[in-house]
Amino acid sequence: MSLLQDVPLFSGLSADDLAALEARFVRKTYRRRTVVIEKGDENANLFVVASGQVRVYIADSGGREIILNELGEGDYFGELALLGDQPRSASVVTLTETTCLTIAKQTFREFLSEYPDVAFNLIRDLAQKVFQLSDDVANLALRDVYQRVRDVLVKLAQPSAEQPEIALIEHITQQDVASRVGASREMVSRIFRDLKRGDYIRLDGKTLILQKTLPDHW
């Protein structure tokens, strides 16, 4: 069974084609908190996450980060480098021990010449990311910090198996939220403090608990 069979980029390929493609990849395992790609790198490989989790981010010279995405098994990154000659536009770091399948730009392009349908899949996925980027820019421009924080918490929250009326977010910090919404940690801290006072959220160790529906505005 090919590890690539559940990757949307390669949908439509037969089992034999998937096996032939996987043979062109190199498997690499990275420790937690390893920077796999650094913004500005010239490396042009494509990476597929076989296991583990990574974070895609941009950091400035002062160390401030903006989190663009978090990816897990079956997701891929580095695809922009396959189509152009620009250096990497973002950095990627592992959040857990992570195994990736990686393939060089030239090798992947040779594969595309044999299987052009994969190129259409790539274009489709890139178009979806452009739409998502447009939404993200609109949120930054048109929604206040509280609304952006609310959106992140609602997106990340998972229903509790034991108490369906509440939702949980595991292992998240105020800095994580600040990096996702493009705000300072101090601003997010004030919002969290107000939400706690209103009994909307509480902390249980490293778990953030949403006790009731967050208001649309604050």
Side-chain angles (χ1 to χ4, degrees):
M1 181 181 296
S2 172
L3 290 171
L4 302 178
Q5 67 177 3
D6 296 324
V7 180
L9 179 60
F10 306 120
S11 62
L13 294 179
S14 68
D16 289 342
D17 292 339
L18 285 170
L21 175 59
E22 188 170 331
R24 306 186 193 195
F25 278 82
V26 175
R27 182 190 295 261
K28 293 185 178 181
T29 298
Y30 304 90
R31 294 181 179 180
R32 180 172 177 258
R33 295 182 180 174
T34 299
V35 176
V36 181
I37 290 177
E38 187 85 49
K39 185 177 184 294
D41 282 352
E42 299 293 338
N43 175 296
N45 286 13
L46 171 71
F47 295 81
V48 176
V49 181
S51 65
Q53 190 175 24
V54 303
R55 171 174 291 167
V56 185
Y57 69 97
I58 296 175
D60 64 18
S61 58
R64 181 182 175 186
E65 292 184 1
I66 297 294
I67 297 174
L68 302 179
N69 207 351
E70 290 184 355
L71 307 173
E73 183 175 342
D75 293 324
Y76 60 91
F77 58 92
E79 69 277 10
L80 287 178
L82 299 174
L83 302 178
D85 298 318
Q86 294 80 11
R88 298 294 192 181
S89 59
S91 301
V92 179
V93 64
T94 59
L95 299 178
T96 64
E97 181 175 278
T98 300
T99 297
C100 292
L101 301 179
T102 179
I103 187 171
K105 177 178 182 176
Q106 185 57 40
T107 304
F108 188 75
R109 285 188 168 182
E110 291 169 359
F111 179 81
L112 287 182
S113 67
E114 300 175 40
Y115 301 91
D117 285 348
V118 174
F120 287 107
N121 291 344
L122 180 59
I123 293 170
R124 177 201 62 205
D125 289 355
L126 287 173
Q128 291 175 346
K129 290 180 180 180
V130 170
F131 284 126
Q132 182 60 55
L133 178 61
S134 298
D135 286 342
D136 292 344
V137 170
N139 283 335
L140 284 172
L142 302 176
R143 298 173 70 80
D144 63 29
V145 175
Y146 167 75
Q147 290 173 316
R148 302 202 301 270
V149 169
R150 178 190 181 279
D151 289 347
V152 166
L153 297 183
V154 170
K155 179 180 178 180
L156 295 178
Q158 298 294 322
S160 168
E162 299 177 355
Q163 298 176 272
E165 71 277 9
I166 67 174
L168 311 175
I169 305 176
E170 304 283 356
H171 305 293
I172 192 167
T173 67
Q174 293 177 9
Q175 184 58 60
D176 288 337
V177 175
S179 296
R180 289 173 182 271
V181 303
S184 68
R185 182 187 178 281
E186 291 73 20
M187 176 65 76
V188 173
S189 179
R190 288 198 291 270
I191 292 172
F192 271 42
R193 186 166 56 247
D194 289 343
L195 290 175
K196 288 176 186 177
R197 288 173 178 165
D199 290 326
Y200 288 99
I201 64 174
R202 66 183 174 88
L203 290 173
D204 183 4
K206 294 183 179 181
T207 300
L208 178 68
I209 301 173
L210 277 63
Q211 302 184 117
K212 54 186 178 181
T213 302
L214 300 180
D216 291 336
H217 302 278
W218 194 265

